[in-house]
mmCIF file with all atom_site columns, all heavy atoms in Angstrom:
data_model
loop_
_atom_site.group_PDB
_atom_site.id
_atom_site.type_symbol
_atom_site.label_atom_id
_atom_site.label_alt_id
_atom_site.label_comp_id
_atom_site.label_asym_id
_atom_site.label_entity_id
_atom_site.label_seq_id
_atom_site.pdbx_PDB_ins_code
_atom_site.Cartn_x
_atom_site.Cartn_y
_atom_site.Cartn_z
_atom_site.occupancy
_atom_site.B_iso_or_equiv
_atom_site.pdbx_formal_charge
_atom_site.auth_seq_id
_atom_site.auth_comp_id
_atom_site.auth_asym_id
_atom_site.auth_atom_id
_atom_site.pdbx_PDB_model_num
ATOM 1  N N   . VAL A 1 212 ? -0.584 3.057  6.474  1.00 96.00 ? 212 VAL A N   1
ATOM 2  C CA  . VAL A 1 212 ? 0.357  3.341  5.387  1.00 96.00 ? 212 VAL A CA  1
ATOM 3  C C   . VAL A 1 212 ? -0.162 4.457  4.575  1.00 96.00 ? 212 VAL A C   1
ATOM 4  O O   . VAL A 1 212 ? 0.509  5.298  4.191  1.00 96.00 ? 212 VAL A O   1
ATOM 5  C CB  . VAL A 1 212 ? 0.737  2.070  4.686  1.00 96.00 ? 212 VAL A CB  1
ATOM 6  C CG1 . VAL A 1 212 ? 1.524  2.486  3.364  1.00 96.00 ? 212 VAL A CG1 1
ATOM 7  C CG2 . VAL A 1 212 ? 1.553  1.071  5.469  1.00 96.00 ? 212 VAL A CG2 1
ATOM 8  N N   . PHE A 1 213 ? -1.428 4.338  4.090  1.00 96.00 ? 213 PHE A N   1
ATOM 9  C CA  . PHE A 1 213 ? -1.982 5.320  3.187  1.00 96.00 ? 213 PHE A CA  1
ATOM 10 C C   . PHE A 1 213 ? -2.156 6.646  3.820  1.00 96.00 ? 213 PHE A C   1
ATOM 11 O O   . PHE A 1 213 ? -1.854 7.667  3.143  1.00 96.00 ? 213 PHE A O   1
ATOM 12 C CB  . PHE A 1 213 ? -3.344 4.776  2.612  1.00 96.00 ? 213 PHE A CB  1
ATOM 13 C CG  . PHE A 1 213 ? -3.233 3.491  1.868  1.00 96.00 ? 213 PHE A CG  1
ATOM 14 C CD1 . PHE A 1 213 ? -4.338 2.748  1.588  1.00 96.00 ? 213 PHE A CD1 1
ATOM 15 C CD2 . PHE A 1 213 ? -1.993 2.953  1.394  1.00 96.00 ? 213 PHE A CD2 1
ATOM 16 C CE1 . PHE A 1 213 ? -4.284 1.540  0.850  1.00 96.00 ? 213 PHE A CE1 1
ATOM 17 C CE2 . PHE A 1 213 ? -1.870 1.846  0.740  1.00 96.00 ? 213 PHE A CE2 1
ATOM 18 C CZ  . PHE A 1 213 ? -3.062 1.003  0.508  1.00 96.00 ? 213 PHE A CZ  1
ATOM 19 N N   . CYS A 1 214 ? -2.705 6.660  5.021  1.00 97.00 ? 214 CYS A N   1
ATOM 20 C CA  . CYS A 1 214 ? -3.208 7.895  5.623  1.00 97.00 ? 214 CYS A CA  1
ATOM 21 C C   . CYS A 1 214 ? -2.459 8.383  6.817  1.00 97.00 ? 214 CYS A C   1
ATOM 22 O O   . CYS A 1 214 ? -2.691 9.472  7.304  1.00 97.00 ? 214 CYS A O   1
ATOM 23 C CB  . CYS A 1 214 ? -4.729 7.813  5.907  1.00 97.00 ? 214 CYS A CB  1
ATOM 24 S SG  . CYS A 1 214 ? -5.727 7.312  4.524  1.00 97.00 ? 214 CYS A SG  1
ATOM 25 N N   . GLY A 1 215 ? -1.649 7.463  7.485  1.00 95.00 ? 215 GLY A N   1
ATOM 26 C CA  . GLY A 1 215 ? -0.970 7.855  8.729  1.00 95.00 ? 215 GLY A CA  1
ATOM 27 C C   . GLY A 1 215 ? -1.993 8.367  9.760  1.00 95.00 ? 215 GLY A C   1
ATOM 28 O O   . GLY A 1 215 ? -3.012 7.760  9.997  1.00 95.00 ? 215 GLY A O   1
ATOM 29 N N   . SER A 1 216 ? -1.554 9.394  10.488 1.00 95.00 ? 216 SER A N   1
ATOM 30 C CA  . SER A 1 216 ? -2.350 9.956  11.574 1.00 95.00 ? 216 SER A CA  1
ATOM 31 C C   . SER A 1 216 ? -3.547 10.769 11.033 1.00 95.00 ? 216 SER A C   1
ATOM 32 O O   . SER A 1 216 ? -4.361 11.312 11.862 1.00 95.00 ? 216 SER A O   1
ATOM 33 C CB  . SER A 1 216 ? -1.442 10.876 12.483 1.00 95.00 ? 216 SER A CB  1
ATOM 34 O OG  . SER A 1 216 ? -0.907 11.912 11.752 1.00 95.00 ? 216 SER A OG  1
ATOM 35 N N   . HIS A 1 217 ? -3.595 10.895 9.635  1.00 97.00 ? 217 HIS A N   1
ATOM 36 C CA  . HIS A 1 217 ? -4.706 11.725 9.138  1.00 97.00 ? 217 HIS A CA  1
ATOM 37 C C   . HIS A 1 217 ? -6.052 10.999 9.163  1.00 97.00 ? 217 HIS A C   1
ATOM 38 O O   . HIS A 1 217 ? -7.073 11.643 8.809  1.00 97.00 ? 217 HIS A O   1
ATOM 39 C CB  . HIS A 1 217 ? -4.345 12.123 7.689  1.00 97.00 ? 217 HIS A CB  1
ATOM 40 C CG  . HIS A 1 217 ? -3.073 12.812 7.531  1.00 97.00 ? 217 HIS A CG  1
ATOM 41 N ND1 . HIS A 1 217 ? -2.657 13.862 8.357  1.00 97.00 ? 217 HIS A ND1 1
ATOM 42 C CD2 . HIS A 1 217 ? -1.995 12.556 6.657  1.00 97.00 ? 217 HIS A CD2 1
ATOM 43 C CE1 . HIS A 1 217 ? -1.449 14.302 8.025  1.00 97.00 ? 217 HIS A CE1 1
ATOM 44 N NE2 . HIS A 1 217 ? -1.049 13.495 6.965  1.00 97.00 ? 217 HIS A NE2 1
#
Side-chain angles (χ1 to χ4, degrees):
V212 167
F213 299 164
C214 306
S216 62
H217 305 312

